[in-house]
Amino acid sequence: IFHHTELYISIPRTCLPIVYHPDYNITFMGLEKLHPFDSGKWGKVICYLKEEQFIHDGNIVGALEATEEDLLVVHTKHYLNRLKWSLVVATITEIPPLLFLPNFLVQRKVLKPLRTQTGGTIMAGKLAIDRGWAINVGGGFHHCSSDRGGGFCAYADITLAIKFLFERVQGISKATIIDLDAHQGNGHERDFMDDRRVFIMDMYNPYIYPRDEYAKRAIKRKVELEWGTEDFEYLQKVHLHSEGALNEVQPDIIVYNAGTDILDGDPLGGLSISPQGIVKRDEIVFRAARRRGIPILMITSGGYQKKTARIIANSILNLFQQHLIGAEALEGDRSSSLVTSMMGHCGPSGSKFSAV
């Protein structure tokens, strides 16, 4: 018997399988500016998508915070207890001043947003199976495993989403992770090290954090990139290896970790991909999935520049323009907007999304 979870409740068909909540954003008396991460990027993505009239408050899914019981599907009790120490959270998130704050503030201002994004990834996993695709505007904490965090990642949302699917959804027994963040995804790699059900493709800069040699043993298709790799070579490799990975194993679900820290000028990624290159990359992966009829869950993961949010929004709009997402949900959208407003908000939270 599985624990009761709110994360798998049914979502009205009038909603797009795009998951978000204003609680994703980390605002903290300016302290968040001490990290190179744009800690409000998730809300900005939603803002741009609203400006383009692709979404409105009524047709996206409101993320719910993952509860302790949800997290215990993967995490050890010992690890979750360690997050009650501000020092531990300061180390994992790489925001040293958190060290001086009482833990109740750290919980509310930093860990709650990350738990809400984690709930969003788990919800989007189920939505991807139901709809054929889903996007969590946050998540992608690929450095976190069951018993250790790091690199801004405090919860193992990728592992959680896959384990929830394996345990709760009939017929889901194989998953492929396509991790295209600039960093090696050592968290899910450690979690699925000996799990034959999960195929991991990871394409990353091997010269930067985390350089986790042990975790590399879990990668079934490993593509290590040189410093400063540019669009042409990069996109060739994305195409070759995403096709190759999906030909090797036909999974029941693809988890696509779409980090944007591959962008030229990113202080941490060390690669030189253009904004157009990122949009094209996402299109290649979605095309490979959709052509084979495999459900795909996209999460946004790393990306450490102010212009990142605009690029993510542009990519989502491009997927729609290319008919790779959205067709069923948006048919007759104009006429259904009245229905949506009568139904109230999508998803369980029922909270009015404030523009961020």
Side-chain angles (χ1 to χ4, degrees), residues 200-243:
I200 298 173
M201 167 183 155
D202 199 349
M203 196 160 134
Y204 58 92
N205 178 347
Y207 308 108
I208 58 175
Y209 177 91
R211 292 199 197 81
D212 189 335
E213 292 301 324
Y214 172 74
K216 283 182 189 177
R217 291 166 27 190
I219 306 173
K220 304 285 197 307
R221 196 172 266 261
K222 180 173 75 178
V223 189
E224 297 193 330
L225 301 167
E226 285 304 314
W227 285 107
T229 297
E230 294 179 2
D231 287 20
F232 182 74
E233 181 195 342
Y234 180 80
L235 293 173
Q236 245 182 347
K237 285 183 167 163
V238 170
H239 185 263
L240 177 72
H241 292 291
S242 50
E243 289 289 328

Side-chain angles (χ1 to χ4, degrees), residues 35-38 182-183 205 208 227 260-271 303-308:
H35 195 281
F37 206 90
D38 176 5
H183 302 80
N205 178 347
I208 58 175
W227 285 107
T260 44
D261 49 5
I262 61 170
L263 183 63
D264 187 28
D266 188 279
L268 306 179
L271 304 173
Y304 303 89
Q305 298 184 70
K306 295 292 180 209
K307 50 188 151 176
T308 295

Side-chain angles (χ1 to χ4, degrees), residues 169-190:
V169 182
Q170 239 182 338
I172 307 297
S173 59
K174 293 205 300 284
T176 291
I177 298 168
I178 297 181
D179 194 336
L180 299 187
D181 185 275
H183 302 80
Q184 176 200 350
N186 61 326
H188 55 77
E189 287 159 11
R190 283 173 171 263

Side-chain angles (χ1 to χ4, degrees), residues 47 58 145 147 155 193 212 224 231 275 296 304 322 332:
C47 246
S145 58
D147 59 353
Y155 302 107
M193 179 67 69
D212 189 335
E224 297 193 330
D231 287 20
I296 180 167
Y304 303 89
Q322 301 292 327

